[in-house]
Amino acid sequence: MKISETDILLIPGYGRTLPGHWLLRWRDKMASARVVSQAELHRPGRQAWLDTLVKEVDAAGKPVVLVAHSLGCILVARGAHVLKDKIRGAYLVAPSDWDRDGLVPEFDGGDFKPIPRDPLPFPAHLVASRNDPYCDFERAQDFAKAWGTTFQDAGEAGHINLESGHGPWPEGMMSFAHFMKRLG
């Protein structure tokens, strides 16, 4: 599937996505991509975030491919049953493990936990790092198995964000292109 034939919805995670982050760079490089802007970035509520995502999906004029980072991955897993008929695929990067106590001292994961374990009803690919401070590698592998996604070991890449040196993240763009090709 060609990127130009889809609406790419970029779903950030917890907190503010800093300028230069690969998600924002991808938005700038792909004409059909837009960021799903959520309210309450530091006190997210599952239903409010899901309602915003559903509105964005409903507004799409083409088949939708989701690209999610961190808490955005958990949102996709949480809302998969609502979104299933409208999503062509999901590319999930560095899911955060909100079931872990004290993951972020300012936020306990709220109603995003427990993290769902149901298989996703659309094709998905999960990319995880071996030294992600927000999710153990084995836990990310477990998410991929439970959700029925393909899995990619990103090596020691931290949380695959700006702080871990992943502004442009060309390896991610190549991986995403392979995922899109797989969608047909």
Side-chain angles (χ1 to χ4, degrees), residues 139-150:
R139 180 75 163 151
Q141 287 179 309
D142 184 56
F143 289 152
K145 184 176 180 182
W147 296 340
T149 74
T150 53

Side-chain angles (χ1 to χ4, degrees), residues 59-137:
K62 301 175 190 173
V64 175
V65 175
L66 305 174
V67 176
H69 182 255
S70 193
L71 182 59
C73 299
I74 308 310
L75 177 66
V76 169
R78 256 301 155 206
H81 65 285
V82 175
L83 302 167
K84 66 182 175 186
D85 296 330
K86 300 176 180 179
I87 304 303
R88 189 65 190 268
Y91 187 81
L92 310 171
V93 179
S96 45
D97 185 3
W98 294 95
D99 289 338
R100 186 188 334 164
D101 288 335
L103 186 67
V104 175
E106 306 83 41
F107 179 65
D108 69 357
D111 56 0
F112 284 92
K113 55 186 189 179
I115 295 173
R117 304 197 41 79
D118 300 323
L120 299 179
F122 38 75
H125 182 73
L126 191 148
V127 180
S129 167
R130 291 187 169 271
N131 64 339
D132 188 336
Y134 299 103
C135 186
D136 294 331
F137 185 72

Side-chain angles (χ1 to χ4, degrees), residues 5 15 18 25 32 46 55 57 119 147 150 154 157 176:
E5 298 171 346
L18 299 173
R25 289 172 183 252
S32 65
R46 179 181 73 199
K55 285 178 190 172
V57 170
W147 296 340
T150 53
F176 179 66

Side-chain angles (χ1 to χ4, degrees), residues 20-70:
H21 190 289
W22 62 268
L23 263 178
L24 300 180
R25 289 172 183 252
W26 286 19
R27 176 201 60 199
D28 296 343
K29 288 184 184 226
M30 295 185 278
S32 65
R34 67 182 183 275
V35 174
V36 176
S37 297
Q38 298 286 4
E40 300 298 328
L41 297 175
H42 290 92
R43 288 267 176 228
R46 179 181 73 199
Q47 193 59 53
W49 274 34
L50 183 55
D51 289 347
T52 299
L53 179 56
V54 167
K55 285 178 190 172
E56 289 286 338
V57 170
D58 286 345
K62 301 175 190 173
V64 175
V65 175
L66 305 174
V67 176
H69 182 255
S70 193

